[in-house]
Amino acid sequence: MKEDFYYQQARSQGYRSRASFKLLQINNKFKVFRKGQTIIDLGASPGGWSQVASHLVGGNGKVIAIDKSYISPFKEKQVEILNKDILNRNLPTIILETYGKTDGLISDCSPNISGDFSRDHSIQISLARRALTLTQSLLKVNGFFICKLFQGTELPEFMKEMKEHFKTTKLYKPAASRKKSAEIYAVGLKYNASKDSSTETEK
Ligand SMILES: C[S@@+](CC[C@H](N)C(=O)[O-])C[C@H]1O[C@@H](n2cnc3c(N)ncnc32)[C@H](O)[C@@H]1O
């Protein structure tokens, strides 16, 4: 991949990935992060989003960086790493018992790209759907959700599902997201917990 502007910026500013700028731009638009928040970052490796989130929530906040792939330790003390698959059924219980409910859930999960777009789209939306399900166990009332999506036939149905749980939902493509890429981000504001049962039953 050509070393583009955001790749160079990430290197010079000490970010682990060019994806960092996507989260910064999403937050510039929607202004969802606050000092002291607790944030869950799904699909966090190598850790660019967790770095950005940790700076935005500050030293009194917390970021839980979750990925099935290895994430190297952060110098930012407020980031904790959970090396887990987001499909793990025990994940909500583990998070709730250790950290309680969270202010924001962000997901940049994406599958390994096979080149078969409709398959990749379908797997990616199923990861997004898992992230949306996790908001129902983990988000505080009025919490926020940011989620990567691959645009395709299943996107409208996903947005319909999201609307059932958030007062406001938006789609946004940050400038750092490559124009040719199918990727776009869904943003959910003001989580409405009354429509959901508060915990997921684990077996
Ligand atoms: C585009 S990368 C995330 C980049 C990250 N936001 C950053 O700023 O550095 C997508 C990540 O999703 C993760 N992922 C995909 N499926 C997953 C799953 N089932 N459980 C946990 N992580 C998953 C991959 O391992 C990969 O690290």
Side-chain angles (χ1 to χ4, degrees):
M1 183 70 65
K2 196 166 149 258
E3 294 186 4
D4 70 0
F5 173 76
Y6 288 109
Y7 178 91
Q8 302 285 0
Q9 287 295 307
R11 285 191 66 152
S12 70
Q13 295 184 37
Y15 286 122
R16 295 179 180 199
S17 65
R18 68 186 294 295
S20 307
F21 294 98
K22 300 176 196 172
L23 187 60
L24 281 166
Q25 290 164 358
I26 293 167
N27 189 53
N28 283 345
K29 171 90 180 158
F30 296 99
K31 306 198 171 21
V32 285
F33 285 93
R34 302 268 182 280
K35 297 288 179 204
Q37 287 175 329
T38 299
I39 304 293
I40 306 273
D41 181 9
L42 303 177
S45 181
W49 275 30
S50 289
Q51 286 177 298
V52 167
S54 75
H55 301 158
L56 292 169
V57 301
N60 292 327
K62 182 151 293 297
V63 178
I64 302 116
I66 302 173
D67 206 293
K68 61 181 183 175
S69 301
Y70 175 75
I71 307 175
S72 58
F74 291 86
K75 73 171 177 3
E76 293 86 355
K77 298 275 177 279
Q78 61 272 39
V79 187
E80 293 195 21
I81 296 166
L82 264 184
N83 193 209
K84 298 254 177 246
D85 194 309
I86 68 159
L87 304 176
N88 180 327
R89 286 181 57 82
N90 294 321
L91 190 62
T93 309
I94 294 167
I95 294 172
L96 285 173
E97 283 176 355
T98 317
Y99 307 101
K101 294 217 172 194
T102 62
D103 301 287
L105 192 146
I106 59 180
S107 173
D108 198 24
C109 279
S110 109
N112 289 329
I113 301 304
S114 72
D116 173 348
F117 181 74
S118 97
R119 179 172 181 272
D120 293 340
H121 166 63
S122 216
I123 298 172
Q124 201 284 323
I125 294 285
S126 70
L127 291 168
R129 204 164 260 132
R130 173 60 174 161
L132 178 60
T133 302
L134 288 171
T135 63
Q136 292 154 41
S137 309
L138 300 176
L139 270 191
K140 293 178 188 168
V141 176
N142 288 330
F144 71 89
F145 180 44
I146 297 172
C147 185
K148 188 209 285 284
L149 300 171
F150 287 176
Q151 297 177 75
T153 52
E154 296 181 40
L155 186 142
E157 182 57 35
F158 178 84
M159 292 308 291
K160 237 202 282 179
E161 290 164 25
M162 233 181 105
K163 282 194 176 91
E164 289 171 19
H165 306 286
F166 292 87
K167 190 170 175 212
T168 305
T169 57
K170 301 273 182 206
L171 281 169
Y172 181 64
K173 189 166 174 89
S177 180
R178 290 189 172 91
K179 287 201 175 52
K180 279 191 203 151
S181 149
E183 144 190 298
I184 194 160
Y185 289 86
V187 178
L189 305 174
K190 294 196 180 294
Y191 172 64
N192 177 2
S194 63
K195 293 192 178 161
D196 302 311
S197 60
S198 57
T199 50
E200 191 174 304
T201 309
E202 303 300 331
K203 282 267 161 345

